[in-house]
Amino acid sequence: MNPIQIEGETFIAVTLKLPKTNFMAVTNDTGYIMCGALDVHLFNTNQKLIDRKIVAGRAVGVRTIEQLLEAPLESVTLEAEQLGITAGMKGKDALLKMKAR
């Protein structure tokens, strides 16, 4: 777990090395982006999770935090869309839209 800076904003990067894969996320107080382990479809279809208003995005095929920041997001939650975060947006650009409000 390490703090990282993106255009002067502080985020926390988490990497967990697992057998044959890595789990990665970058977060702040508003939301997060994550590797392919994130089930955005579940967040967008399960009423209990929709009610939590989770701001998150998923990038697939990434193996490092640097790749996660540069990769286009494959999917985002409905609440992320409310902040202007869209599929196809780079991870770091999505994070900047999640700046603490």
Side-chain angles (χ1 to χ4, degrees), residues 14-16 18 21-26 32-40 43 56-65 67-69 71-75:
V14 178
T15 300
L16 176 62
L18 300 169
T21 192
N22 291 332
F23 170 89
M24 293 165 294
V26 180
Y32 55 91
I33 61 171
M34 203 167 113
C35 63
L38 178 64
D39 189 345
V40 170
F43 283 163
R58 174 183 187 223
V60 295
V62 296
R63 305 186 120 211
T64 66
I65 292 295
Q67 289 176 354
L68 180 59
L69 295 174
L73 297 178
E74 178 266 343
S75 54

